[in-house]
Amino acid sequence: MQAADPHVISANGKFYMYATNANSNGDCSYLQVWSSENLTNRTNEGICYQPSRTNWCIDGLWAPEVIERNGTFYLYYSGWSLQNKIHEIGIAKSTSPTGPFKEFVGLNDNGDMISEKEAPIHINIDGGKVDAVIDASPFIDKDGKAYLYFVQDQHNIPSKGAYVSTIYVAELNNDMVSIKEDTI
């Protein structure tokens, strides 16, 4: 197995690992999942997510993490934005830990899932949209509140005379997609 950025969850009596493809051909246009009952022997369950060719991102999928809430599995990943030419955070969902995951942006007023997503999750810090956001890591606390940790990658800090990466956290809204910007 060639994989990077592994993330493991436990569901349905098994463990599931999601990872960035690190195969020799460099194809990062899809994400795979492996299952295991003992964390030693594993089965490749195949491709769990591949964006449609009309999506905002069709390649550069990195660092997938999955979390389950109320029977729905949410897949957070970094993807190369065709429009913005940077990595941004995408979200897909499924009713199974092995997928297939479908791109997800949130719920409409009727509570139904909005289908194809035209742009990744938007994060604003200090009044401005953050560019190059990667490595999303969702977390649900004991009180039921959901949070998203993420990295603003290689942004210019003139006062430091350097490009730095900064880790942030924000509370997620109930749709598990949008964030409460006043909680960053």
Side-chain angles (χ1 to χ4, degrees), residues 67-111:
I67 195 166
E68 183 271 335
R69 179 170 225 169
N70 300 324
T72 299
F73 294 86
Y74 296 88
L75 168 70
Y76 298 79
Y77 63 93
S78 300
W80 182 252
S81 171
L82 296 172
Q83 179 181 359
N84 298 324
K85 307 296 184 218
I86 56 173
H87 266 88
E88 298 185 86
I89 296 171
I91 302 168
K93 80 175 208 172
S94 176
T95 56
S96 168
T98 58
F101 285 86
K102 299 293 182 192
E103 195 71 20
F104 180 61
V105 70
L107 304 176
N108 64 21
D109 292 337
N110 297 326

Side-chain angles (χ1 to χ4, degrees), residues 21-40:
N21 291 333
N23 50 20
S24 58
N25 67 6
D27 185 357
C28 289
S29 66
Y30 59 90
L31 298 169
Q32 294 186 78
V33 60
W34 292 261
S35 66
S36 176
E37 294 181 3
N38 56 19
L39 293 176
T40 301

Side-chain angles (χ1 to χ4, degrees), residues 86-89 129-134 151-155:
I86 56 173
H87 266 88
E88 298 185 86
I89 296 171
K129 183 177 177 294
V130 175
D131 290 331
V133 181
I134 63 171
V151 175
Q152 183 179 12
D153 190 35
Q154 298 294 312
H155 58 103

